[in-house]
Structure formats: structure tokens, C-alpha cells
Amino acid sequence: MKQAIFIPITLILLGGNGLAGLHRGLWFREDIGNAYGSASIVGNAPEELAAVDFFRNQGVRRLYGSYGDRPESDASAIAAWNARLENAGIQSQLLLSDSTSIFPGPERNSFLDKIDDYVIDYNASPGRTAAERFDALHLNIGPQALPVWDALTASQKRDHLNLLRDTYADVRQHLDDAGFSNLPIYADLPVWFDSSPSIGWTDAMERDDWFTAISVSLTGITLMPFKEDSFTAINDSIAWERAHITQAQVRCGLEADLGTTWPSVPVFNSMIFTLEDNYGNVGAADIESFKLWREALDTQPLIWVDADLSRPAADWVITFQADQAWTYIITQSVNLCQWQQIRKIKVIQNSTAEVPIVDAPEERAFWRVERYQPLE
């Protein structure tokens, strides 16, 4: 006999667990000493399982992982971790962050040496399986992180951006020369390189040429409007890049800085949904970071939604009060781990929603309802 169970669920607590088709990205930093850092999780099987369950249930399909020197010093642990991600349908992109690498000479050569050790030699190691390899290289090396940045003149800042452009090109060429021309390179950028008066572009053509050049070296770019707290402000801040960068994928990132930019988890998750509604799963959303997201969730109370489950005929029916201007998502699971979106309902006016569950799984099923309100 089929056993159907309805579970009351938090009000957009996690933003739609396991929603079908989502392709969220997540920065997974080393964060030594923190329970949610890769240093604490990778190599610890129970923690790995818990982390991957979270990634999968939250629609994360691209992990930007920072592991220190472990691709060289602890390659077996990284290989097992990458294989676990692959089995869960999650890309493993190696995250490297070293803003001094933009300087030609010893600094950039040292950075290329790291790419040799952590990507090229690691991926090409004898016996390394496809599942154990890194799927991409992800760069977070903006010159705006340098201590001298604020003291630079506008023309000097432009020169530093040109050094960044050249670094991307050198990394691409370095991988190509090593036989890794098919390995994608992604990079993170602030949203103001195109428009800030502090960048001394001589004219619009010089600026446009810069973005065209980096698009040749990069497969994709994540823009980081981390201090904007409304969709209008986020959209305005990335509109130029989305319109003009056509040779590389452009994605939008959010920082899970609860209590600063976002007053609560529901508001943060509403913004995730809003970005995905407007940009699609190709353009949104990348989330900074696993540590920040999990710590935010640890401090947020649960808010329960009332709903009823009945079976008046052949199909099960979920009934709940639907409020005007909210969007409701119903997800389904057979094991309380992997959740899949089965219905999405936009509510025009207050009503009692009766949602039939067609083709419910045999034996046992679980359903839950989440809602969000698109943000302006």
C-alpha cells in the first residue's frame, strides 16, 4: 500500500531544496578552523556526506572549492572528494585566490607553478579517473583586493586591470600549452569595472576592448553585486555586463551576509529565487559562501506553513492558503534527502489552493510547500 506523508516545511528557509533544473554555484573556501570550511570537511566522510547532501538539496551544481596545497599534498583525499561530487552531479572547480599573481615576473610565475601542481599535474596523474579530476579552474584574483588599490590613481587602476587581463590570457595559454585546452576557466569580477570613475578608461572603446579580451580567455564570469540589497539595484549594477559580454557566460552572485545586506534567511532566499526567475538557471545564482550560508541557517528560526493532504479521488491533493503576490513551490521526495520541484504556482489573489499530485511515486512519498515573494 502506498504511504503518502505531507511534511510542514519552513517558509523559504533554504530556497527550494533540490529544485529541478537549478544550477547554483557555491564558493567553498578552505576556512581553516571553521566547521564549514573545506579544511574540516574534505577527508572526513560523515562531514562530506552531510555537505554533499546540502549541495544537492539546494540545487548546487557548481562548487568553487579552495583546498590550499592539498591537491598536491593530499591528492587521494581530493580525488575521493571530487569523485563524490561527480557522483552527486556537481562540478568541481578549483578556486585559486592570489591577487599578487597579476604582476608579471616572480609573482605570476609562482601562480602558474601552482596551476601546474594543483591542476595540470593533479589531473594528469597516472591512474586519475575522470570523476576524480577538477572540471574547471576558478580564479578570484581581482587587483581591487591589493592593499595599494585605494592609493592608486585612476590611470594606475586601469593599468592594474590590464595586468589582470594579461594574467587571464597567460593562464589560458599555460593550460593550452600543457594540453588542457578543454579545461574551462571562470573568474569573479566586481560590478563596477565598467563604469566606476575611479577606473581611468581613456574612452568607451578601451573599456569595451578590455571586456572583449577577457571574454576570449575565460569561459564564464561571476559578477559580485554583494552590497546591493534589492533586485533593481542588482540588475542595474550588472546590466552593462549582461548586455555586452557575449563571448563568455555571465552569472550573478550573492553573498549570504545575513544581518548586514539581508535581514533574514527568507529575504535572502527570495532574492535567490528572484534572480533565477529573471536570469534563468544559466545566469543565477552563485552564492558566497558555504560557511556564510550554513552559519546563517544555524541562527534562523523555523517558520511553519499549514497545509493539508487528502485523497478525494485517484490523486493526492495538497491544500493550503495561498496569499496574493506570493509564488508557491511544491517539492517531492521518496527518501527525505533528494527533493524535486513538481509544481510552481504564482498567486494573483488570495485563495485556497488545491494542488493535485499527479503520478505520485509508488510505495511512499513526501511533499512539502515553500513560498517566496519576488523582490523589487
Side-chain angles (χ1 to χ4, degrees):
M1 177 181 295
K2 181 185 296 182
Q3 180 184 5
I5 301 175
F6 174 76
I7 304 173
I9 187 62
T10 57
L11 187 67
I12 56 171
L13 175 64
L14 298 180
N17 293 4
L19 301 187
L22 292 188
H23 212 268
R24 292 172 181 162
L26 181 63
W27 283 274
F28 182 47
R29 300 188 182 276
E30 192 175 16
D31 287 321
I32 295 174
N34 186 280
Y36 298 128
S38 73
S40 298
I41 292 171
V42 175
N44 183 324
E47 295 299 328
E48 286 188 4
L49 286 169
V52 171
D53 277 347
F54 180 88
F55 302 155
R56 184 168 50 194
N57 294 344
Q58 300 310 312
V60 173
R61 298 294 179 265
R62 307 154 63 99
L63 193 70
Y64 314 144
S66 174
Y67 308 106
D69 67 355
R70 294 181 72 185
E72 181 181 27
S73 66
D74 195 7
S76 60
I78 298 299
W81 171 245
N82 282 348
R84 191 185 296 278
L85 294 174
E86 173 74 16
N87 187 58
I90 300 169
Q91 295 179 12
S92 180
Q93 300 184 16
L94 179 65
L95 177 65
L96 294 181
S97 304
D98 184 356
S99 293
T100 63
S101 64
I102 68 169
F103 298 117
E107 291 92 344
R108 192 175 302 169
N109 290 337
S110 176
F111 189 66
L112 295 176
D113 287 343
K114 286 183 180 179
I115 293 173
D116 283 337
D117 295 336
Y118 303 162
V119 180
I120 295 172
D121 292 346
Y122 170 86
N123 273 15
S125 177
R128 182 79 66 226
T129 68
E132 295 170 344
R133 296 176 187 136
F134 288 111
D135 299 305
L137 177 63
H138 196 108
L139 303 178
N140 185 266
I141 55 174
Q144 73 279 4
L146 293 169
V148 300
W149 178 259
D150 289 340
L152 298 177
T153 66
S155 61
Q156 288 173 327
K157 290 179 178 179
R158 178 202 61 209
D159 293 342
H160 276 63
L161 262 61
N162 286 335
L163 292 176
L164 177 63
R165 174 202 62 197
D166 296 344
T167 305
Y168 291 152
D170 282 356
V171 171
R172 179 71 274 167
Q173 189 63 54
H174 191 71
L175 289 170
D176 291 352
D177 291 345
F180 284 75
S181 59
N182 292 327
L183 189 78
I185 304 174
Y186 298 91
D188 306 324
L189 290 180
V191 298
W192 42 267
F193 279 177
D194 67 298
S195 59
S196 173
S198 68
I199 306 297
W201 300 118
T202 55
D203 52 34
M205 181 176 294
E206 183 184 41
R207 174 202 62 190
D208 295 355
D209 288 346
W210 187 87
F211 279 95
T212 298
I214 68 168
S215 299
V216 172
S217 303
L218 301 174
T219 306
I221 295 164
T222 295
L223 298 169
M224 303 182 292
F226 286 173
K227 300 308 176 186
E228 307 296 351
D229 62 359
S230 70
F231 175 70
T232 298
I234 290 172
N235 191 53
D236 287 348
S237 71
I238 67 174
W240 187 91
E241 289 86 351
R242 294 187 69 245
H244 290 84
I245 299 176
T246 58
Q247 293 179 272
Q249 182 186 80
V250 177
R251 294 177 59 83
C252 182
L254 288 178
E255 186 175 26
D257 56 344
L258 276 293
T260 305
T261 303
W262 312 108
S264 67
V265 168
V267 173
F268 174 68
N269 283 285
S270 288
M271 184 55 72
I272 294 175
F273 275 118
T274 300
L275 294 179
E276 290 167 345
D277 283 347
N278 283 273
Y279 303 148
N281 297 332
V282 173
D286 289 346
I287 298 166
E288 169 72 55
S289 60
F290 181 61
K291 170 184 174 290
L292 292 177
W293 202 4
R294 288 307 309 268
E295 287 178 344
L297 293 172
D298 287 346
T299 64
Q300 291 289 323
L302 302 180
I303 305 173
W304 299 100
V305 170
D306 292 328
D308 296 315
L309 178 70
S310 61
R311 194 175 189 181
D315 296 326
W316 293 94
V317 175
I318 293 176
T319 304
F320 55 91
Q321 184 60 41
D323 297 330
Q324 180 178 347
W326 287 82
T327 297
Y328 291 80
I329 288 173
I330 297 175
T331 59
Q332 175 179 281
S333 174
V334 296
N335 58 9
L336 289 177
C337 292
Q338 289 79 44
W339 292 87
Q340 181 179 22
Q341 176 182 321
I342 58 173
R343 294 291 298 275
K344 184 175 184 179
I345 304 164
K346 295 183 179 181
V347 180
I348 298 175
Q349 61 184 15
N350 295 338
S351 60
T352 299
E354 295 183 353
V355 183
I357 307 301
V358 180
D359 296 328
E362 295 296 330
E363 301 301 330
R364 182 175 63 181
F366 303 88
W367 294 289
R368 60 191 192 181
V369 180
E370 306 181 37
R371 73 173 188 170
Y372 72 97
Q373 192 168 34
L375 302 178
E376 299 298 329

